[in-house]
Amino acid sequence: MTTILGTVAIIALLWTALSALPAGLEARMPLPYMIALTPLLWVPLVVLAAFAAWQREWSVMSLLIVAALFASSHRLNYWGTSIDPAGKRKESHRETPRETSANTQNINNSSNTDTTVTVSSSTIDANRETSRETYVNTHNISDPNAGPSAAASSSGTASTSREALDAASNLSSKASESTRTTLPTQFTVMTLNCRYGRADANDIIANIRKRGISVLALQEVTDELIARLTEAGLNELLPYHQFGEAKDTDNGGFNVLYSAYEPGASVPNVVSIPAADVPAITLRIADQAKMPPASTSTNGTTIRIAANPSTTTQAHPDRTITFCSAHPKSPMRGCADWSAGILGLREITKARSIAHHNIAVVMGDLNSSTDHPSFRALLKSGFKDASLTQAAGPNLTFPRWLKWPRIELDHVLFTPGVRPSQVKSFEIKDTDHLALVATLALR
């Protein structure tokens, strides 16, 4: 019996060690699925440890408990606890230098003259004339130099994707008397995988109303779902949107963003990954409300980018938040593409504008958790996870039809500049994922 229990403990330790592989090396079947199940190993291990104690096998019992702790190590972080205190301290101090460095980085952005970018009205939604557009009025503005066709190209390089994000993040929306042109200092976002477009549209709308959602990210969307959402009144609640381009290679459907606030810019694909397009919208935030109106011309809209922003992070007159809806492929659709999709999202944090003073928020079904090395590499690139940062426990999102066991595959990620709260998962009818909401407050 001692030999059997000891062997089980060693196998469990080797299993948990898979989470320590370098990012990308876990992209081989069945490793992604084994790693995803690692947080659940503590249950049988604790049972076996209790049995070992009953047999007075104290050394084996201790080994089983150690294995259970290691299996739970990443999930313990969701309560602000870690069995690796040194690693936790390192992570907790990583954000501060990034935020404070924004002041010195902005020196490179300073000049004595303003830069003016003109967006022709003919470029507005030039590439969005699809059948689903007959249901929804759009107000998107795309940069002509890094617009939809460039960003959506499957052969686009990482630098091209970063240029698209830089263009989107640095554009300010046209002046308006409407109070819907700037995002408030605190707002709520929601993300949901719609399971091949089958999600209940009325349930989605009810939760948008109930929870006061300002920005909605949907994955696995179909034209039929867009029609049902429109009929249910989504456009009255969130009148602005950006869709990813639908392709035959999409993993379950295309990705969508809806907003209650008018975007200053948007692109259908901000970073090229081997999965559905990653649409992005850029919103101005409330501290821009005192900006003078942008000038306009008869040929289009002139958008002025601030040339010498303030030296404090919160006081940039042109500060923006760029929201992205992402859905890397599942390992079942190809392990290499699965890992490459997750790691590819790191390019968003490398955008010059994000590094300077703006914020990026990535929402979606990322088909990974903190146990996966590829996902942890994504966090190390500059993102924070809302659920992890809140430190009130995990918000498990898959599968919906089981109360236990569940894993956390859906995430709200953000670069420094916001603080999350009220992060919570909840059920939506007719889909296999739980929805995830988070309230984000500007720092």
Side-chain angles (χ1 to χ4, degrees), residues 109-118 291-295 302-309 317-318:
N109 225 22
S110 301
S111 69
N112 295 325
T113 61
D114 288 343
T115 302
T116 301
V117 178
T118 301
M291 290 181 64
S295 59
T302 302
I303 299 174
R304 190 171 300 279
I305 301 173
N308 189 18
D318 60 342

Side-chain angles (χ1 to χ4, degrees), residues 18 42 56 61 85 170 176 208 211 253 264 318 353 396 404 418:
L18 295 175
W42 70 270
R56 297 183 183 277
M61 182 201 73
N170 278 310
S176 172
I208 291 173
R211 303 173 191 277
D318 60 342
S353 57
L396 309 179
W404 191 92
V418 296

